[in-house]
Amino acid sequence: MAEKQFSGILNGAVPGEPVKKDENSRRGNWGNQIEFVLTSVGYAVGLGNVWRFPYLCYRNGGGAFMFPYFIMLVFCGIPLFFLELSFGQFTSLGCLGVWKVSPMFKGVGYGMMVVSTYIGIYYNVVICIAFYYFFMSMTNLLPWTYCNNPWNTPDCTGVVGTPLANATFANVSAVVSGLTEIVNRTKRTSPSEEYWRNYVLNISDGIGNFGEVRLPILGCLAVSWVVVFLCLIRGVKSSGKVVYFTATFPYVVLTILFIRGITLEGAISGIKYYLTPQWEKILDAKVWGDAASQIFYSLGCAWGGLITMASYNKFHNNCFRDSIIISVTNCGTSVYAGFVIFSILGFMANHLGVDVSEVADHGPGLAFVAYPEALTLLPISPLWSLLFFFMLILLGLGTQFCLLETLVTAVVDEIGTDWIIKNKTYVTLGVAIVGFLLGVPLTTRVISLCHFLHALYKGHKNYFKDVEMMLGFPPPLFFRICWKYVSPFIITFILIFTVIQYKPITYNDYVYPSWSLIIGFAMALSSVICIPIYALFKIAVSEGSTFLERLKNSVKPDPDWGPALQEHRKGRYATTGPESVEVRPLKEELKDEGKEKLKEKETEKKDEIGLTIPGSNGSTLNPTPSA
């Protein structure tokens, strides 16, 4: 009995309800609830936790940045995370199918697919670069340690002096040469930076010059897509098993690097620089804007992945609990990764005799330039480099799994035939091949990035009832207020802030030409434009003699909207017909059955009284006249 109860808890079922009753055998479910939580953690915890959050934190007031960051988490991040999880879980459909709730807004789902496509393409390119660095770390000497390579320029200045084949930690400090020259330079070019720019990327002189395909990067890109495909070959049934490793092992690596980092000389100064609060910056709107943007970027809201992952949950799973656990874990990981990064950067700054700000970088530069350079100062540096880039690979794969599954699930749910569901593997293969081909241009000598943000929701009163039917309790008042007022206000603030703070995109000293910025804006708008285009299309094809009638019909829920399994379609979702039987709680069924039996007995008794009337002498009289 205890074993059955434990199995029910793992599968997310309400206590007392049979687990098999909640199984979607046609579409599939997670093997157990741990798989969903680990997958969602892997999706939310990505490369941005390692290279974006630490930089934003120290740039925006150090420890003071934590205050607006957690404020945004509580009032916007967790509520929207819960909203998307409950949305997908309630109807067991992906980012397209869920818009049966209001078909006119299905363009939001298409916008999510566009975003997931863009992100999936370039995200796997980043993963392939991590693969490349991982393979290049399988050597006795890291190739970005010294300046005596063909790709180095005369401006290159290393931090470990001349090559030594068997340098130990004791003599690493002794071989540091040219330290005075490094400190006095207005701008230092490190061997790791030149390795990144001149060898790995081999950046061209302009965005209009693609140059040749970097074959080593192309090979690593193929490896990345093959790994992703193999992990998703059976959908959530296979990826749910892989995440036991990909979602947990990065924490093992982070802990190893953290322990190693804090034992180094100068690590404390790096951590202090990371955490020391500058309270005056809290009044800066840019700090709040960065905090809100990081919450969205990190949690992956409005990309479709959360809806997709939750759609494979059991109907009665407690997604409210999951949303809090996953969101807090994600943000806690960001803070923890900051300690790992800045303990090493503090050590590097101590060796160079400069401030931490001069060795810190942001974005990919932190992961592929600053941190790798710091690792060259450690004994057995290839080992630490292998661990670090292996961690980046796992973090990236966790997010990439969900991005690819979002696209595959949307296609399969939209077609919805038994054949497409049975042959979902071929859809996954097709999406992986297309993703690889679209990623090939990014392995040339040009780099391109894309960013997206949107949120939209409608019909809150009915949905509050839906959540209560699914979870057994209504959404807390705090979340209802956030959904209706606070979160939309924050999203509007982010949008306005982004427009006001916009600056032309640059890469170091290179300023991108106007035509490239126009292409970038077009890519960004290509997701948003899906919403009005599909809305106009839906209104045009809806029934009605006037525009207002067609508009009203276009926002009415589809007849299929609601829980996927018949046993969960209760109340206003209960279907009527000879083949439809509403499944009700056992207590209610027994109560109704008892009432029916009581009515039957009363009817029989009345019939007996009506047919048999006792006479005055004890005989019975039949009131029916004889023929």
Side-chain angles (χ1 to χ4, degrees), residues 64-78:
F65 180 73
M66 303 289 185
F67 180 74
Y69 180 73
F70 284 107
I71 290 292
M72 292 298 177
L73 170 67
V74 172
F75 286 95
C76 196
I78 296 178

Side-chain angles (χ1 to χ4, degrees), residues 149-224:
N149 302 289
W151 57 82
N152 292 127
T153 67
D155 294 329
C156 178
T157 306
V159 295
V160 294
T162 56
L164 272 181
N166 299 311
T168 63
F169 182 73
N171 61 25
V172 161
S173 299
V175 300
V176 174
S177 63
L179 185 59
T180 304
E181 180 184 358
I182 296 174
V183 176
N184 292 335
R185 280 176 181 242
T186 56
K187 186 177 181 180
R188 171 180 167 269
T189 303
S190 65
S192 62
E193 182 179 358
E194 293 196 350
Y195 180 79
W196 163 250
R197 294 183 58 189
N198 301 338
Y199 184 73
V200 177
L201 299 181
N202 194 15
I203 296 177
S204 64
D205 55 1
I207 192 171
N209 180 16
F210 275 73
E212 74 281 357
V213 172
R214 298 280 293 118
L215 293 180
I217 304 299
L218 181 63
C220 291
L221 181 63
V223 171
S224 299

Side-chain angles (χ1 to χ4, degrees), residues 262-278:
I262 60 175
T263 60
L264 298 173
E265 185 180 357
I268 300 301
S269 62
I271 293 175
K272 285 182 178 179
Y273 188 86
Y274 166 56
L275 293 178
T276 300
Q278 302 172 34

Side-chain angles (χ1 to χ4, degrees), residues 124 223-232 397 400-401 404:
N124 226 21
V223 171
S224 299
W225 278 109
V226 169
V227 171
V228 173
F229 168 70
L230 292 177
C231 292
L232 288 174
L397 288 176
Q400 188 68 12
F401 290 161
L404 185 62

Side-chain angles (χ1 to χ4, degrees), residues 118-350:
Y118 287 157
I119 297 174
I121 292 170
Y122 87 74
Y123 211 83
N124 226 21
V125 172
V126 177
I127 297 173
C128 90
I129 294 175
F131 265 112
Y132 182 79
Y133 269 80
F134 177 77
F135 294 142
M136 292 298 102
S137 299
M138 296 179 180
T139 178
N140 293 328
L141 181 67
L142 295 176
W144 55 86
T145 304
Y146 302 108
C147 294
N148 59 343
N149 302 289
W151 57 82
N152 292 127
T153 67
D155 294 329
C156 178
T157 306
V159 295
V160 294
T162 56
L164 272 181
N166 299 311
T168 63
F169 182 73
N171 61 25
V172 161
S173 299
V175 300
V176 174
S177 63
L179 185 59
T180 304
E181 180 184 358
I182 296 174
V183 176
N184 292 335
R185 280 176 181 242
T186 56
K187 186 177 181 180
R188 171 180 167 269
T189 303
S190 65
S192 62
E193 182 179 358
E194 293 196 350
Y195 180 79
W196 163 250
R197 294 183 58 189
N198 301 338
Y199 184 73
V200 177
L201 299 181
N202 194 15
I203 296 177
S204 64
D205 55 1
I207 192 171
N209 180 16
F210 275 73
E212 74 281 357
V213 172
R214 298 280 293 118
L215 293 180
I217 304 299
L218 181 63
C220 291
L221 181 63
V223 171
S224 299
W225 278 109
V226 169
V227 171
V228 173
F229 168 70
L230 292 177
C231 292
L232 288 174
I233 195 168
R234 293 183 59 242
V236 296
K237 294 298 183 183
S238 57
S239 65
K241 303 300 184 290
V242 176
V243 294
Y244 280 103
F245 178 74
T246 60
T248 57
F249 194 73
Y251 291 96
V252 176
V253 178
L254 275 175
T255 302
I256 293 173
L257 293 175
F258 173 70
I259 295 173
R260 185 68 187 100
I262 60 175
T263 60
L264 298 173
E265 185 180 357
I268 300 301
S269 62
I271 293 175
K272 285 182 178 179
Y273 188 86
Y274 166 56
L275 293 178
T276 300
Q278 302 172 34
W279 296 109
E280 65 278 4
K281 288 194 175 184
I282 287 187
L283 300 178
D284 188 354
K286 187 178 186 303
V287 175
W288 290 84
D290 284 347
S293 298
Q294 176 61 16
I295 288 293
F296 275 95
Y297 180 88
S298 184
L299 292 180
C301 298
W303 291 1
L306 299 179
I307 294 176
T308 301
M309 295 302 103
S311 70
Y312 293 101
N313 275 338
K314 302 297 180 65
F315 183 75
H316 290 302
N317 170 63
N318 191 344
C319 58
F320 172 70
R321 170 203 60 201
D322 295 342
S323 63
I324 296 176
I325 293 175
I326 297 167
S327 299
V328 172
T329 300
N330 170 72
C331 295
T333 303
S334 297
V335 176
Y336 186 36
F339 284 93
V340 176
I341 296 297
F342 277 89
S343 62
I344 297 291
L345 295 183
F347 162 68
M348 181 178 179
N350 179 73

Side-chain angles (χ1 to χ4, degrees), residues 432-543:
I433 292 175
V434 172
F436 168 73
L437 295 177
L438 292 176
V440 170
L442 300 184
T443 65
T444 62
R445 298 164 65 187
V446 177
I447 304 174
S448 177
L449 300 178
C450 176
H451 179 66
F452 169 80
L453 175 67
H454 79 241
L456 179 65
Y457 189 64
K458 185 178 180 291
H460 59 273
K461 291 185 179 180
N462 287 335
Y463 198 71
F464 293 163
K465 297 178 182 178
D466 294 342
V467 173
E468 183 175 5
M469 181 176 74
M470 182 172 62
L471 301 183
F473 58 88
L477 178 61
F478 171 78
F479 283 81
R480 284 179 274 170
I481 294 175
C482 286
W483 287 345
K484 294 169 63 177
Y485 306 110
V486 181
S487 297
F489 172 78
I490 293 176
I491 293 171
T492 305
F493 164 74
I494 296 173
L495 180 61
I496 296 174
F497 171 80
T498 302
V499 173
I500 294 176
Q501 295 290 325
Y502 171 77
K503 295 180 181 179
I505 301 175
T506 61
Y507 183 78
N508 294 331
D509 297 329
Y510 178 76
V511 179
Y512 286 89
S514 300
W515 63 266
S516 65
L517 298 180
I518 293 174
I519 294 177
F521 277 117
M523 293 177 64
L525 291 175
S526 63
S527 58
V528 182
I529 201 67
C530 294
I531 302 173
I533 289 178
Y534 188 87
L536 292 174
F537 165 77
K538 190 62 181 179
I539 293 172
V541 300
S542 297
E543 296 179 355

